[in-house]
Amino acid sequence: MSVTVHAPTPQQDRPAGRQQGGGSPKGLFDPGQLLRSLPDAVRKLDPRVMAKSPVMFVVLTGSVLTTVLAALDPGDWFGWAITAWLWLTTLFANLAEAVAEGRGKAQADTLRAARTGAVARRVIGRNEERVPGTDLRVGDLVVCEAGDLVPGDGDVVEGVASVDESAITGESAPVIRESGGDRSAVTGGTRVLSDRIVVRITAEPGETFIDRMIGLVEGAARQKTPNETALDILLASLTVVFLLAVVTLQPFAVYAGREQSMTVLAALLVCLIPTTIGALLSAIGIAGMDRLVQRNVLAMSGRAVEAAGDVSTLLLDKTGTITMGSRQAAEFLPVKGVTGTELAEAAQLSSLADETPEGRSVVSLAERDHGLRARHRDEQTGAEWVPFTAQTRMSGVDTGGRLVRKGAAGSVTAWVTGRGGSVPPDAEVLTELIAKAGGTPLLVAVEDSRGARVLGVIHLKDVVKPGMRERFAELRRMGIRTVMITGDNPLTAKAVAEEAGVDDYLAEATPEDKMALIKREQAGGRLVAMTGDGTNDAPALAQADVGVAMNTGTSAAKEAGNMVDLDSDPTKLIEIVAIGKQLLITRGALTTFSIANDVAKYFAIIPAMFAAVYPGLDKLNIMDLSSPRTAILSAVIFNALIIVALVPLALKGVRYRPAGADRMLRRNLAVYGLGGLVAPFIGIKLIDLVLSLIPGLR
């Protein structure tokens, strides 16, 4: 059978729901963290560390130079003031990065507590031997029973057990891990709560999932992303340009009889180069990954976070992602001559003996939509209950000479006809319509003094999760195309796709079909994101630009993806995309602010330096600063303080609102471009007013 991709019929979008992602404000910036991170910031003054950022290395060099010059002239308070604020600028830049890294240390400490030196029961032939967990190697088989810690990462190859993964996911509810299928992976440091399992080790000591998490949340394993590298090159180029400009400025100053001191030239250079974004660039990247960690998503690289921000096609599984993953009762459809309440009452009564999710959903629907009171089996005295079984595919109750049954259409039809009744034509029509729509029809029948007869049909369907249409509409405003992937037939897939509001769907999908779809999208220049949890998803996860593996999935899936969702919530992919976009927007916004800042500082320093020689330049002194010294010092102080002021924004991120690229660009220019121009004029003027009151600085 050929597999095709279809687009559902467009439907009117509902209003968008609440913006996902962006993080909770609480705990995003703790002023006390500044003090705790101060020792790390001082250690980062090492020139070998500073050299990684060309902009801040120039600031460090300027700080050292002015220190030497101030030491040669101890009585020059202006020189000492410039020196002090240049060192503070360097320290504040390091502090921003240290604070960002420090936010991951608490989680790293928690993870280290989970990384124990557990003793493993390694299987040797038919025997077991106890060995330290650090002696285990890939391929070893270990036995874990109730109360045991899992000694290393692996896959369950025998048995089924309840496992406490709270040390990893933070969720107290235990999870089931069993051999075979897509829920076989276990993580070292988790605890088995019941039963017995045999685990095949899949990671060497020191390379386990927890070890990788510790390195990533501490920032130790974070590599610069391509965008960061490109921005670094741009900032380095601007630094070289301004360095040349400052160097060539001195000959002109000498010629004009206004030779400038090296202290002033160093201050000028630091104020003109893009120190603000240079200081915050690393912190922005670390904070972006930290926002994912806060949502229990582990990104294997910063590149994956950035790619999430550029995703244009999103592949989502139907079951469990777009839909609830289990069939739910959606509607009672009575036949002619039967009221809806009569059908709902019989359906409720016959479902009390059905403990399946479908049976419970029938009871809930009857109570919710028809106002029936809640009933319990112990209320029905003398009742004979017929529990649901896979063999009979029916449930029901015999009470007071009345027999009630609910179940699969074939089973209930056979029960009714076996008792001399018949199925009315409208019940057959309803059953066929539900089946064609991709749902599951259940018949409800009774036998009483009027004989055996069918009361109506229950429409079971895999219910679309609440708010999904709004979230897909939100993604559409982001410029992201959504594709639902399902193994259902095209008719069912189309019905669910139309209800959910996705842009496209892939029906009767196989692993090869997923790969082919991803490659087609990428060939068109689009970045693709997808989720998966099974070994058969591994090739597609590896091929996708953003592959989010579920923590409940197999080791193969987690190795193939570049992100792991510790909560195993496939819908979180939508939040991951929003966080990626927020990271890119934050970096762009602060870059815009920084460059605009430099333009404003130019108007503060240059006129102050040469207005005495070239009176015409005084027209550029639009801030009417008190003196050349206070103007230069005010600009240096503002340059340092603005870094501290922007640390919370770098860590929290600029709020992302779904919009087109042109609209976001206009917003960035209006808010951060204009703000970057205006803020220095106000800030430098206020600082100048304060400095002008200090004797000896005028």
Side-chain angles (χ1 to χ4, degrees):
M1 181 179 292
S2 61
V3 180
T4 54
V5 179
H6 304 272
T9 305
Q11 293 184 359
Q12 182 67 30
D13 293 328
R14 297 177 188 174
R18 180 178 58 88
Q19 166 65 30
Q20 299 297 318
S24 168
K26 185 178 180 180
L28 282 174
F29 181 70
D30 176 13
Q33 184 68 48
L34 290 172
L35 294 177
R36 292 192 293 271
S37 302
L38 191 58
D40 288 334
V42 174
R43 283 191 287 270
K44 288 177 181 290
L45 291 173
D46 185 336
R48 293 169 296 182
V49 177
M50 298 295 294
K52 296 178 181 178
S53 172
V55 175
M56 298 316 301
F57 184 74
V58 169
V59 178
L60 177 67
T61 304
S63 304
V64 173
L65 176 62
T66 56
T67 301
V68 173
L69 294 173
L72 294 176
D73 187 6
D76 182 13
W77 288 104
F78 175 74
W80 282 114
I82 292 291
T83 298
W85 282 102
L86 289 185
W87 277 112
L88 285 174
T89 301
T90 310
L91 187 64
F92 291 160
N94 290 342
L95 195 59
E97 184 175 1
V99 169
E101 291 175 348
R103 294 169 65 198
K105 289 184 177 179
Q107 183 163 357
D109 292 340
T110 302
L111 293 171
R112 283 195 180 92
R115 187 177 60 183
T116 63
V119 175
R121 295 164 55 187
R122 184 164 59 186
V123 177
I124 304 294
R126 294 179 177 274
N127 301 316
E128 296 178 9
E129 64 173 357
R130 292 186 175 271
V131 298
T134 53
D135 289 352
L136 295 175
R137 293 295 179 266
V138 174
D140 285 348
L141 296 177
V142 296
V143 175
C144 298
E145 293 183 324
D148 291 345
L149 282 174
V150 178
D153 294 358
D155 288 325
V156 178
V157 295
E158 180 184 322
V160 57
S162 175
V163 179
D164 176 10
E165 294 188 341
S166 58
I168 306 297
T169 65
E171 295 293 334
S172 58
V175 295
I176 300 298
R177 293 289 177 265
E178 57 187 336
S179 60
D182 297 337
R183 296 181 178 271
S184 61
V186 290
T187 305
T190 57
R191 186 177 297 276
V192 177
L193 299 179
S194 68
D195 303 296
R196 176 184 184 274
I197 53 175
V198 178
V199 178
R200 177 181 288 113
I201 299 299
T202 58
E204 299 284 353
E207 300 176 2
T208 64
F209 190 65
I210 290 182
D211 290 315
R212 284 187 291 165
M213 286 183 68
I214 291 172
L216 287 165
V217 299
E218 286 187 322
R222 200 186 82 87
Q223 301 295 321
K224 285 190 175 181
T225 65
N227 281 348
E228 278 183 291
T229 302
L231 189 53
D232 263 339
I233 294 172
L234 173 63
L235 298 182
S237 302
L238 290 174
T239 301
V240 171
V241 169
F242 283 116
L243 179 61
L244 293 174
V246 171
V247 168
T248 57
L249 190 64
Q250 185 71 322
F252 289 104
V254 172
Y255 176 78
R258 189 73 177 179
E259 182 177 353
Q260 301 294 321
S261 68
M262 293 299 295
T263 299
V264 170
L265 292 176
L268 174 63
L269 177 61
V270 169
C271 288
L272 293 185
I273 63 177
T275 51
T276 306
I277 186 59
L280 298 174
L281 182 59
S282 181
I284 293 169
I286 294 172
M289 295 185 69
D290 185 61
R291 280 193 288 276
L292 283 178
V293 172
Q294 291 174 14
R295 287 162 178 76
N296 268 2
V297 177
L298 177 62
M300 301 305 180
S301 69
R303 182 190 298 263
V305 185
E306 280 191 355
D310 286 329
V311 160
S312 53
T313 302
L314 202 58
L315 307 186
L316 298 158
D317 279 333
K318 175 184 78 75
T319 306
T321 303
I322 295 174
T323 63
M324 292 291 190
S326 60
R327 295 173 303 174
Q328 304 284 309
E331 190 178 8
F332 294 127
L333 302 170
V335 298
K336 292 178 181 178
V338 178
T339 65
T341 302
E342 185 181 355
L343 171 60
E345 186 175 11
Q348 179 196 47
L349 194 59
S350 60
S351 296
L352 294 178
D354 184 356
E355 294 299 328
T356 64
E358 292 87 349
R360 291 194 292 270
S361 73
V362 171
V363 175
S364 298
L365 181 65
E367 295 171 1
R368 183 180 68 247
D369 287 5
H370 291 271
L372 300 181
R373 68 177 183 83
R375 294 184 179 182
H376 304 282
R377 291 176 57 169
D378 52 11
E379 294 179 2
Q380 311 298 319
T381 55
E384 203 172 308
W385 299 98
V386 180
F388 175 86
T389 66
Q391 290 74 30
T392 63
R393 301 173 67 198
M394 282 195 309
S395 64
V397 62
D398 299 343
T399 176
R402 185 171 183 250
L403 284 62
V404 187
R405 295 292 185 271
K406 177 222 69 185
S411 300
V412 174
T413 297
W415 183 82
V416 170
T417 55
R419 295 179 172 274
S422 62
V423 178
D426 52 341
E428 295 178 351
V429 171
L430 291 172
T431 299
E432 187 176 347
L433 289 174
I434 292 172
K436 284 184 177 180
T440 302
L442 298 180
L443 293 183
V444 179
V446 298
E447 183 182 14
D448 52 20
S449 58
R450 297 167 56 188
R453 65 191 190 281
V454 171
L455 298 180
V457 186
I458 303 172
H459 183 183
L460 283 186
K461 66 177 182 178
D462 195 355
V463 178
V464 173
K465 291 181 178 179
M468 291 307 296
R469 172 171 285 276
E470 288 78 5
R471 299 191 79 175
F472 288 137
E474 187 175 302
L475 287 169
R476 201 170 294 115
R477 287 193 297 276
M478 294 181 190
I480 297 173
R481 175 171 167 266
T482 53
V483 180
M484 182 187 76
I485 299 176
T486 177
D488 290 339
N489 62 69
L491 191 64
T492 301
K494 181 180 180 181
V496 175
E498 288 179 347
E499 182 178 356
V502 296
D503 300 311
D504 219 341
Y505 64 89
L506 178 66
E508 297 176 338
T510 65
E512 292 77 15
D513 297 326
K514 296 178 187 178
M515 280 283 289
L517 177 58
I518 292 173
K519 288 180 179 179
R520 285 199 302 272
E521 292 291 322
Q522 291 172 332
R526 293 179 284 273
L527 267 64
V528 180
M530 76 161 289
T531 61
D533 58 4
T535 300
N536 63 341
D537 290 325
L541 286 170
Q543 180 66 36
D545 300 284
V546 179
V548 183
M550 301 296 102
N551 190 44
T552 56
T554 62
S555 296
K558 288 194 280 189
E559 288 294 330
N562 49 25
M563 291 188 187
V564 177
D565 177 17
L566 303 180
D567 294 331
S568 300
D569 176 10
T571 61
K572 201 177 289 183
L573 184 55
I574 299 173
E575 294 183 42
I576 291 171
V577 170
I579 291 172
K581 287 188 176 292
Q582 185 184 34
L583 170 65
L584 297 178
I585 291 170
T586 301
R587 187 181 295 150
L590 292 183
T591 300
T592 304
F593 186 92
S594 178
I595 294 174
N597 245 319
D598 297 335
V599 173
K601 284 180 285 188
Y602 172 88
F603 284 95
I605 297 179
I606 298 298
M609 291 172 62
F610 295 102
V613 180
Y614 301 107
L617 286 177
D618 197 50
K619 294 180 180 179
L620 296 178
N621 186 18
I622 57 180
M623 285 184 274
D624 191 25
L625 301 178
S626 303
S627 70
R629 281 196 164 193
T630 59
I632 294 169
L633 186 54
S634 297
V636 172
I637 293 174
F638 177 83
N639 194 58
L641 294 180
I642 196 64
I643 294 174
V644 178
L646 291 176
V647 167
L649 182 61
L651 298 183
K652 182 180 179 181
V654 175
R655 184 180 178 186
Y656 171 67
R657 296 182 180 89
D662 56 340
R663 184 178 173 188
M664 285 191 288
L665 177 61
R666 288 196 300 269
R667 177 174 172 267
N668 258 9
L669 291 175
V671 176
Y672 297 97
L674 185 60
L677 281 173
V678 173
F681 284 99
I682 298 173
I684 291 174
K685 179 61 179 178
L686 291 175
I687 296 171
D688 177 76
L689 290 174
V690 175
L691 293 179
S692 64
L693 302 176
I694 302 175
L697 284 182
R698 292 182 60 85

